[in-house]
Amino acid sequence: MLLSLSPDGRWLGYPAGDGYVVRDLTGTRTMTFPPSETGRRMAAWVWSADSKRLLVGDFREGNDNTYTLVEVLTGSRTPAVIPAARTPLALTNEGAIVSGARDQQPEPVRVLTLTVSAIGDATGRSVTIDASAILAQNESLFPGSVLVHPDASGYLLEVGTADGISTGVLRVAPDGRVVERVLDLPRDNRKFWDVLGVNGDGLLLIRQTNDTGRQATTVVAVTGKALRDLVALPHESIVAVPGASAR
């Protein structure tokens, strides 16, 4: 939530004291977001896949967060209503908010209910994803890893083992139907995967390899079901700007 880069790489968000700044990297324009009162902080929450909208949170430690939907091209800001006991997970290109249960679900999670709501809707509609038939016995959905597909035709959900090791990604239709297992991630006790975000073509992944006490981090692109290394980051690097997902 500290640093955030829009999926198209144009907009960079970063903290400024307790406030937040979003800067256009192609020009000089900046937008500032001061907290509503002393003791609160501002942060980027999620970007839309087309990089045109950003959900900004005003929060303090606890569950009294408030949110604002920002149209980054025009700078317009609209207060967003989040359904009760939900937390934002993703943002559609149309500005609808995809949220999940605030409280952690018991593991393993094989059925997940999302709420999709317009910015002024305190109720929204429920989307239930039942992945029981496609997950292996030791696999679980990761409730916090929900992305809107780059072509806006549903969602991408990360899955993995109960101890948090990613094993694959599912594609889910807007109505919650599991369409396919987009890819399986190679299993190796020395390699750990995470979904970094989405770009115009598909997924971007992070692969961390621990070998002989040294950690190597690589950004990997997914085209179809093929994995292609993009860049190897310096020794023991941590990706601080995850693009489309800034949770």
Side-chain angles (χ1 to χ4, degrees), residues 57-137:
D58 181 334
F59 69 99
R60 76 169 84 238
E61 299 304 324
N63 293 322
D64 63 341
N65 297 4
T66 61
Y67 302 93
T68 299
L69 183 67
V70 182
E71 308 276 348
V72 293
L73 294 177
T74 65
S76 67
R77 309 176 186 193
T78 306
V81 177
I82 306 298
R86 314 294 286 181
T87 189
L89 300 175
L91 189 63
T92 71
N93 289 346
E94 296 75 28
I97 297 166
V98 182
S99 57
R102 182 180 297 155
D103 297 329
Q104 183 69 32
Q105 293 182 240
E107 297 286 356
V109 179
R110 303 176 75 81
V111 179
L112 177 65
T113 299
L114 303 176
T115 299
V116 181
S117 57
I119 58 173
D121 184 357
T123 304
R125 61 179 178 86
S126 295
V127 175
T128 298
I129 301 165
D130 187 345
S132 303
I134 201 169
L135 295 180
Q137 185 174 0

Coordinates of all heavy atoms in Angstrom, one line a residue, residues 57-137:
G57 N -7.4 4.7 -0.1 CA -7.9 4.5 1.2 C -7.5 5.5 2.2 O -6.3 6.0 2.2
D58 N -8.3 5.9 3.1 CA -8.1 6.8 4.2 C -8.3 5.9 5.5 O -9.4 5.5 5.7 CB -9.0 8.0 4.2 CG -8.8 9.0 5.3 OD1 -8.3 8.6 6.4 OD2 -9.2 10.1 5.2
F59 N -7.2 5.6 6.2 CA -7.3 4.6 7.3 C -6.5 4.9 8.5 O -5.7 5.8 8.5 CB -6.9 3.3 6.7 CG -5.4 3.2 6.4 CD1 -4.6 2.6 7.3 CD2 -4.9 3.7 5.3 CE1 -3.2 2.5 7.1 CE2 -3.5 3.7 5.0 CZ -2.7 3.0 5.9
R60 N -6.9 4.2 9.6 CA -6.1 4.2 10.8 C -6.0 2.7 11.2 O -6.8 1.9 10.6 CB -6.6 5.1 11.9 CG -7.8 4.6 12.6 CD -8.1 5.3 13.9 NE -8.8 6.5 13.6 CZ -8.4 7.8 14.0 NH1 -7.2 7.9 14.5 NH2 -9.2 8.8 13.7
E61 N -5.2 2.3 12.1 CA -5.2 0.9 12.5 C -6.6 0.6 13.1 O -7.1 1.2 14.0 CB -4.2 0.7 13.6 CG -2.7 1.0 13.1 CD -2.4 0.2 11.9 OE1 -2.8 -1.0 11.8 OE2 -1.6 0.7 11.0
G62 N -7.2 -0.4 12.5 CA -8.6 -0.8 12.8 C -9.4 -1.0 11.6 O -8.9 -1.2 10.5
N63 N -10.7 -0.9 11.7 CA -11.6 -1.3 10.6 C -12.5 -0.1 10.2 O -13.6 -0.3 9.6 CB -12.5 -2.5 10.9 CG -11.7 -3.7 11.1 OD1 -10.7 -4.0 10.3 ND2 -12.0 -4.6 12.0
D64 N -12.0 1.1 10.4 CA -12.9 2.3 10.0 C -12.3 3.0 8.7 O -12.4 4.2 8.6 CB -12.9 3.3 11.2 CG -11.5 3.9 11.5 OD1 -10.5 3.3 11.1 OD2 -11.5 4.9 12.2
N65 N -11.9 2.2 7.8 CA -11.3 2.7 6.5 C -12.4 3.4 5.7 O -13.6 3.0 5.7 CB -10.7 1.6 5.7 CG -9.6 0.9 6.3 OD1 -9.2 1.2 7.5 ND2 -9.0 0.0 5.6
T66 N -12.1 4.5 5.0 CA -12.9 5.1 4.0 C -12.2 5.1 2.7 O -10.9 5.1 2.7 CB -13.4 6.5 4.4 OG1 -12.2 7.3 4.6 CG2 -14.2 6.5 5.7
Y67 N -12.9 5.2 1.6 CA -12.3 5.1 0.3 C -12.8 6.1 -0.7 O -13.9 6.6 -0.6 CB -12.5 3.7 -0.3 CG -12.0 2.6 0.6 CD1 -12.9 2.0 1.5 CD2 -10.7 2.1 0.5 CE1 -12.5 0.9 2.3 CE2 -10.3 1.1 1.3 CZ -11.2 0.5 2.2 OH -10.7 -0.5 3.1
T68 N -11.9 6.5 -1.6 CA -12.2 7.4 -2.7 C -11.8 6.8 -4.0 O -10.7 6.3 -4.2 CB -11.5 8.7 -2.5 OG1 -11.9 9.3 -1.2 CG2 -11.8 9.7 -3.6
L69 N -12.8 6.9 -5.0 CA -12.5 6.4 -6.4 C -11.9 7.6 -7.1 O -12.6 8.7 -7.2 CB -13.7 5.9 -7.0 CG -13.5 5.3 -8.4 CD1 -12.6 4.1 -8.4 CD2 -14.8 5.0 -9.1
V70 N -10.8 7.5 -7.7 CA -10.1 8.6 -8.5 C -10.1 8.3 -9.9 O -9.6 7.2 -10.3 CB -8.7 8.8 -7.9 CG1 -8.0 10.0 -8.7 CG2 -8.7 9.0 -6.4
E71 N -10.5 9.2 -10.8 CA -10.4 9.1 -12.2 C -9.1 9.8 -12.5 O -9.0 11.1 -12.5 CB -11.5 9.8 -12.9 CG -12.9 9.3 -12.5 CD -13.3 8.0 -13.2 OE1 -12.7 7.7 -14.2 OE2 -14.3 7.4 -12.8
V72 N -8.0 9.1 -12.8 CA -6.7 9.7 -12.8 C -6.5 10.7 -14.0 O -5.7 11.6 -14.0 CB -5.5 8.7 -12.8 CG1 -5.5 7.9 -11.5 CG2 -5.7 7.7 -14.0
L73 N -7.2 10.4 -15.1 CA -7.0 11.3 -16.3 C -7.7 12.7 -16.1 O -7.2 13.7 -16.6 CB -7.6 10.6 -17.5 CG -6.9 9.4 -18.0 CD1 -7.6 8.8 -19.2 CD2 -5.4 9.7 -18.4
T74 N -8.8 12.7 -15.3 CA -9.4 14.0 -15.0 C -9.2 14.5 -13.6 O -9.4 15.7 -13.4 CB -11.0 13.8 -15.2 OG1 -11.5 12.9 -14.2 CG2 -11.3 13.3 -16.6
G75 N -8.8 13.7 -12.7 CA -8.5 14.1 -11.3 C -9.8 14.1 -10.5 O -9.7 14.4 -9.3
S76 N -10.9 13.7 -11.1 CA -12.2 13.7 -10.3 C -12.2 12.6 -9.2 O -11.6 11.5 -9.4 CB -13.4 13.5 -11.2 OG -13.4 12.2 -11.7
R77 N -12.8 12.9 -8.1 CA -12.8 12.1 -6.9 C -14.2 11.9 -6.4 O -14.9 12.8 -6.2 CB -11.9 12.7 -5.8 CG -10.5 13.1 -6.3 CD -9.7 13.8 -5.2 NE -8.5 14.3 -5.7 CZ -7.4 14.7 -5.0 NH1 -7.5 14.7 -3.7 NH2 -6.3 15.1 -5.6
T78 N -14.5 10.6 -6.2 CA -15.9 10.2 -5.7 C -15.8 9.3 -4.5 O -15.1 8.3 -4.5 CB -16.7 9.5 -6.8 OG1 -16.7 10.3 -8.0 CG2 -18.1 9.3 -6.4
P79 N -16.4 9.7 -3.4 CA -16.4 8.8 -2.2 C -17.0 7.5 -2.6 O -18.0 7.4 -3.3 CB -17.3 9.5 -1.2 CG -17.2 11.0 -1.6 CD -17.2 11.0 -3.1
A80 N -16.4 6.4 -2.1 CA -16.8 5.0 -2.4 C -17.4 4.4 -1.2 O -16.8 4.5 -0.1 CB -15.6 4.2 -3.0
V81 N -18.5 3.7 -1.3 CA -19.1 3.0 -0.2 C -18.7 1.5 -0.4 O -18.9 0.9 -1.5 CB -20.6 3.1 -0.3 CG1 -21.3 2.3 0.8 CG2 -21.0 4.6 -0.1
I82 N -18.2 0.9 0.7 CA -17.8 -0.5 0.7 C -18.9 -1.2 1.5 O -19.2 -0.8 2.6 CB -16.4 -0.7 1.3 CG1 -15.4 0.2 0.6 CG2 -16.0 -2.2 1.2 CD1 -15.3 -0.1 -0.9
P83 N -19.4 -2.3 1.0 CA -20.4 -3.1 1.8 C -19.8 -3.5 3.1 O -18.6 -3.7 3.3 CB -20.6 -4.4 0.9 CG -20.4 -3.9 -0.5 CD -19.3 -2.9 -0.4
A84 N -20.7 -3.6 4.1 CA -20.3 -3.9 5.5 C -19.4 -5.2 5.6 O -19.7 -6.2 5.0 CB -21.5 -4.0 6.4
A85 N -18.4 -5.1 6.5 CA -17.5 -6.2 6.8 C -16.8 -6.7 5.5 O -16.4 -7.9 5.5 CB -18.3 -7.3 7.4
R86 N -16.6 -5.9 4.5 CA -15.9 -6.3 3.3 C -14.6 -5.4 3.2 O -14.6 -4.3 3.7 CB -16.7 -6.1 2.1 CG -18.1 -6.7 2.2 CD -18.1 -8.2 2.3 NE -17.8 -8.9 1.1 CZ -17.8 -10.2 1.0 NH1 -18.0 -11.0 2.1 NH2 -17.5 -10.8 -0.2
T87 N -13.6 -5.9 2.4 CA -12.4 -5.1 2.1 C -12.2 -5.2 0.6 O -12.4 -6.2 0.0 CB -11.2 -5.6 2.9 OG1 -10.1 -4.7 2.8 CG2 -10.8 -7.0 2.5
P88 N -11.8 -4.0 0.0 CA -11.6 -4.0 -1.4 C -10.4 -4.9 -1.9 O -9.4 -4.9 -1.3 CB -11.3 -2.6 -1.7 CG -11.8 -1.8 -0.6 CD -11.6 -2.7 0.6
L89 N -10.7 -5.7 -2.9 CA -9.7 -6.6 -3.5 C -9.3 -6.2 -4.9 O -8.1 -6.4 -5.3 CB -10.2 -8.0 -3.5 CG -10.5 -8.6 -2.1 CD1 -11.1 -10.0 -2.4 CD2 -9.3 -8.7 -1.2
A90 N -10.2 -5.7 -5.7 CA -10.0 -5.4 -7.1 C -10.9 -4.3 -7.5 O -11.9 -4.0 -6.8 CB -10.1 -6.6 -7.9
L91 N -10.6 -3.7 -8.7 CA -11.4 -2.6 -9.3 C -11.6 -2.9 -10.7 O -10.7 -3.2 -11.5 CB -10.7 -1.3 -9.1 CG -11.4 0.0 -9.4 CD1 -12.6 0.2 -8.5 CD2 -10.4 1.2 -9.2
T92 N -12.9 -2.9 -11.2 CA -13.2 -3.2 -12.6 C -12.9 -1.9 -13.4 O -12.8 -0.8 -12.9 CB -14.6 -3.6 -12.8 OG1 -15.5 -2.5 -12.6 CG2 -15.0 -4.7 -11.9
N93 N -12.8 -2.1 -14.7 CA -12.5 -0.9 -15.6 C -13.7 0.1 -15.6 O -13.5 1.3 -15.9 CB -12.3 -1.4 -17.1 CG -11.0 -2.1 -17.2 OD1 -10.1 -2.0 -16.4 ND2 -10.8 -2.8 -18.4
E94 N -14.9 -0.4 -15.2 CA -16.0 0.5 -15.1 C -16.1 1.2 -13.8 O -17.0 2.1 -13.6 CB -17.3 -0.3 -15.3 CG -17.5 -0.9 -16.7 CD -16.6 -2.1 -16.9 OE1 -16.3 -2.8 -15.9 OE2 -16.2 -2.4 -18.1
G95 N -15.2 0.9 -12.8 CA -15.2 1.5 -11.5 C -16.0 0.8 -10.4 O -16.2 1.3 -9.3
A96 N -16.5 -0.5 -10.7 CA -17.1 -1.3 -9.7 C -16.0 -1.9 -8.8 O -14.9 -2.2 -9.2 CB -17.9 -2.4 -10.3
I97 N -16.4 -2.0 -7.5 CA -15.4 -2.5 -6.5 C -15.7 -4.0 -6.2 O -16.8 -4.3 -5.9 CB -15.5 -1.6 -5.2 CG1 -15.1 -0.2 -5.5 CG2 -14.6 -2.2 -4.1 CD1 -15.5 0.8 -4.5
V98 N -14.7 -4.8 -6.3 CA -14.7 -6.2 -5.9 C -14.2 -6.3 -4.5 O -13.0 -6.0 -4.3 CB -14.0 -7.0 -6.9 CG1 -14.1 -8.5 -6.6 CG2 -14.4 -6.8 -8.4
S99 N -15.0 -6.8 -3.6 CA -14.5 -6.9 -2.2 C -14.7 -8.3 -1.7 O -15.5 -9.1 -2.2 CB -15.3 -5.9 -1.4 OG -16.7 -6.1 -1.4
G100 N -14.0 -8.6 -0.6 CA -14.1 -9.9 0.0 C -14.3 -9.7 1.5 O -14.2 -8.6 2.0
A101 N -14.6 -10.8 2.2 CA -14.8 -10.8 3.6 C -13.6 -10.2 4.4 O -12.5 -10.6 4.1 CB -15.1 -12.2 4.1
R102 N -13.9 -9.4 5.3 CA -12.8 -8.8 6.1 C -12.1 -9.8 7.0 O -10.9 -9.8 7.1 CB -13.3 -7.6 6.9 CG -12.2 -6.8 7.7 CD -12.8 -5.7 8.5 NE -13.5 -4.7 7.6 CZ -14.5 -3.9 7.9 NH1 -15.0 -4.0 9.2 NH2 -14.9 -3.1 7.1
D103 N -12.8 -10.7 7.6 CA -12.3 -11.7 8.5 C -11.7 -12.8 7.7 O -12.3 -13.3 6.7 CB -13.3 -12.2 9.4 CG -13.9 -11.1 10.4 OD1 -13.1 -10.2 10.7 OD2 -15.1 -11.1 10.7
Q104 N -10.6 -13.4 8.1 CA -9.9 -14.5 7.5 C -10.8 -15.7 7.5 O -11.4 -16.1 8.5 CB -8.6 -14.8 8.1 CG -7.8 -15.9 7.5 CD -7.3 -15.4 6.1 OE1 -7.0 -14.3 5.9 NE2 -7.2 -16.4 5.2
Q105 N -10.9 -16.4 6.3 CA -11.7 -17.6 6.3 C -10.9 -18.8 6.7 O -9.6 -18.8 6.6 CB -12.2 -17.9 4.8 CG -13.2 -16.9 4.3 CD -13.6 -17.3 2.9 OE1 -13.5 -16.5 2.0 NE2 -14.2 -18.4 2.7
P106 N -11.5 -19.8 7.3 CA -10.7 -21.0 7.7 C -10.1 -21.6 6.5 O -10.7 -21.6 5.4 CB -11.8 -21.9 8.3 CG -13.0 -21.0 8.6 CD -12.9 -19.9 7.6
E107 N -8.9 -22.2 6.7 CA -8.2 -22.9 5.6 C -8.7 -24.3 5.5 O -9.0 -24.9 6.6 CB -6.7 -22.8 5.8 CG -6.1 -21.4 5.8 CD -6.1 -20.8 4.4 OE1 -6.4 -21.5 3.4 OE2 -5.7 -19.6 4.3
P108 N -8.7 -25.0 4.4 CA -8.4 -24.4 3.1 C -9.7 -23.7 2.5 O -10.8 -24.1 2.9 CB -8.0 -25.6 2.2 CG -8.8 -26.7 2.8 CD -8.8 -26.4 4.3
V109 N -9.5 -22.7 1.7 CA -10.6 -22.0 1.1 C -10.9 -22.6 -0.3 O -10.0 -22.4 -1.2 CB -10.3 -20.5 1.0 CG1 -11.5 -19.7 0.3 CG2 -10.1 -19.9 2.3
R110 N -12.0 -23.2 -0.5 CA -12.3 -23.8 -1.8 C -13.5 -23.2 -2.4 O -13.8 -23.3 -3.6 CB -12.5 -25.3 -1.6 CG -11.2 -26.0 -1.0 CD -11.4 -27.5 -0.8 NE -11.4 -28.3 -2.0 CZ -10.3 -28.7 -2.6 NH1 -9.1 -28.3 -2.1 NH2 -10.3 -29.4 -3.7
V111 N -14.3 -22.5 -1.6 CA -15.4 -21.7 -2.0 C -15.3 -20.3 -1.5 O -15.1 -20.1 -0.3 CB -16.8 -22.3 -1.5 CG1 -17.9 -21.4 -2.0 CG2 -16.9 -23.7 -2.0
L112 N -15.3 -19.3 -2.4 CA -15.0 -17.9 -2.1 C -16.2 -17.1 -2.6 O -16.6 -17.2 -3.8 CB -13.7 -17.4 -2.7 CG -13.3 -16.0 -2.5 CD1 -13.1 -15.7 -1.0 CD2 -12.1 -15.6 -3.3
T113 N -16.7 -16.2 -1.8 CA -17.8 -15.3 -2.2 C -17.3 -13.9 -2.3 O -16.8 -13.3 -1.3 CB -19.0 -15.3 -1.2 OG1 -19.5 -16.7 -1.2 CG2 -20.1 -14.4 -1.7
L114 N -17.3 -13.3 -3.4 CA -17.0 -11.9 -3.7 C -18.2 -11.0 -3.7 O -19.3 -11.5 -4.0 CB -16.2 -11.8 -5.0 CG -14.9 -12.6 -5.1 CD1 -14.3 -12.4 -6.5 CD2 -13.9 -12.2 -4.1
T115 N -18.1 -9.8 -3.5 CA -19.1 -8.8 -3.6 C -18.7 -7.8 -4.6 O -17.6 -7.2 -4.5 CB -19.5 -8.1 -2.3 OG1 -19.9 -9.1 -1.3 CG2 -20.6 -7.1 -2.5
V116 N -19.5 -7.5 -5.7 CA -19.3 -6.5 -6.7 C -20.3 -5.4 -6.5 O -21.5 -5.6 -6.6 CB -19.4 -7.2 -8.1 CG1 -19.0 -6.1 -9.2 CG2 -18.4 -8.4 -8.2
S117 N -19.8 -4.2 -6.3 CA -20.7 -3.1 -6.0 C -20.2 -1.8 -6.7 O -19.0 -1.6 -6.9 CB -20.7 -2.8 -4.5 OG -19.4 -2.6 -4.0
A118 N -21.2 -1.0 -7.1 CA -20.9 0.3 -7.6 C -20.4 1.2 -6.5 O -20.6 0.9 -5.3 CB -22.2 0.9 -8.3
I119 N -19.8 2.3 -6.8 CA -19.1 3.1 -5.7 C -20.1 3.6 -4.7 O -19.7 3.9 -3.6 CB -18.3 4.3 -6.3 CG1 -19.2 5.2 -7.1 CG2 -17.2 3.7 -7.1 CD1 -18.4 6.4 -7.6
G120 N -21.4 3.8 -5.0 CA -22.4 4.3 -4.0 C -23.3 3.2 -3.5 O -24.2 3.5 -2.8
D121 N -23.0 2.0 -3.8 CA -23.9 0.8 -3.4 C -23.3 0.2 -2.1 O -22.2 -0.4 -2.1 CB -23.9 -0.2 -4.6 CG -24.9 -1.3 -4.3 OD1 -25.5 -1.4 -3.2 OD2 -25.0 -2.2 -5.2
A122 N -24.1 0.2 -1.1 CA -23.7 -0.4 0.2 C -24.0 -1.9 0.3 O -23.7 -2.5 1.3 CB -24.4 0.3 1.4
T123 N -24.6 -2.5 -0.8 CA -25.0 -3.9 -0.7 C -24.2 -4.7 -1.8 O -23.5 -5.6 -1.5 CB -26.5 -4.1 -0.9 OG1 -27.2 -3.3 0.1 CG2 -26.9 -5.5 -0.8
G124 N -24.4 -4.3 -3.0 CA -23.7 -5.0 -4.1 C -24.4 -6.3 -4.4 O -25.4 -6.7 -3.9
R125 N -23.8 -7.1 -5.4 CA -24.2 -8.4 -5.7 C -23.1 -9.4 -5.4 O -21.9 -9.1 -5.5 CB -24.6 -8.5 -7.2 CG -23.5 -8.2 -8.2 CD -23.9 -8.3 -9.6 NE -22.8 -8.0 -10.5 CZ -21.9 -8.9 -11.0 NH1 -22.0 -10.1 -10.6 NH2 -21.0 -8.5 -11.8
S126 N -23.6 -10.6 -5.0 CA -22.6 -11.6 -4.6 C -22.2 -12.5 -5.8 O -23.0 -12.8 -6.7 CB -23.2 -12.5 -3.5 OG -23.4 -11.8 -2.3
V127 N -20.9 -12.8 -5.8 CA -20.4 -13.8 -6.8 C -19.7 -14.9 -6.1 O -18.7 -14.6 -5.4 CB -19.4 -13.0 -7.8 CG1 -18.8 -14.1 -8.7 CG2 -20.1 -11.9 -8.5
T128 N -20.3 -16.1 -6.2 CA -19.7 -17.2 -5.5 C -18.8 -18.1 -6.4 O -19.3 -18.5 -7.5 CB -20.8 -18.1 -4.9 OG1 -21.5 -17.3 -3.9 CG2 -20.2 -19.3 -4.1
I129 N -17.6 -18.3 -6.0 CA -16.7 -19.1 -6.8 C -16.4 -20.4 -6.1 O -15.9 -20.4 -5.0 CB -15.3 -18.3 -7.0 CG1 -15.6 -17.0 -7.7 CG2 -14.3 -19.2 -7.7 CD1 -14.4 -16.0 -7.5
D130 N -16.9 -21.5 -6.7 CA -16.7 -22.8 -6.1 C -15.6 -23.5 -6.9 O -15.9 -24.0 -8.0 CB -18.0 -23.6 -6.1 CG -17.8 -25.0 -5.4 OD1 -16.7 -25.4 -5.1 OD2 -18.9 -25.6 -5.1
A131 N -14.4 -23.6 -6.4 CA -13.3 -24.2 -7.1 C -13.0 -25.6 -6.6 O -11.9 -26.2 -7.0 CB -12.0 -23.3 -6.9
S132 N -13.9 -26.2 -5.9 CA -13.7 -27.5 -5.3 C -13.3 -28.6 -6.4 O -12.4 -29.4 -6.1 CB -14.9 -28.0 -4.5 OG -15.3 -27.1 -3.5
A133 N -13.9 -28.5 -7.5 CA -13.7 -29.5 -8.5 C -12.4 -29.4 -9.3 O -12.0 -30.4 -9.9 CB -14.9 -29.5 -9.6
I134 N -11.8 -28.3 -9.2 CA -10.6 -28.1 -10.0 C -9.3 -28.0 -9.2 O -8.2 -28.1 -9.7 CB -10.7 -26.8 -10.9 CG1 -9.7 -26.8 -12.0 CG2 -10.5 -25.5 -10.0 CD1 -10.0 -25.7 -13.1
L135 N -9.5 -27.8 -7.9 CA -8.3 -27.8 -7.0 C -7.8 -29.2 -6.5 O -8.7 -30.1 -6.3 CB -8.6 -26.9 -5.7 CG -8.9 -25.5 -5.9 CD1 -9.2 -24.8 -4.6 CD2 -7.8 -24.8 -6.7
A136 N -6.5 -29.4 -6.4 CA -6.0 -30.6 -5.8 C -6.4 -30.6 -4.4 O -6.7 -29.6 -3.7 CB -4.5 -30.7 -6.1
Q137 N -6.2 -31.8 -3.8 CA -6.7 -32.0 -2.4 C -6.0 -31.1 -1.4 O -6.6 -30.6 -0.5 CB -6.4 -33.5 -2.0 CG -6.9 -33.8 -0.6 CD -6.8 -35.3 -0.3 OE1 -6.3 -36.1 -1.1 NE2 -7.2 -35.7 0.9

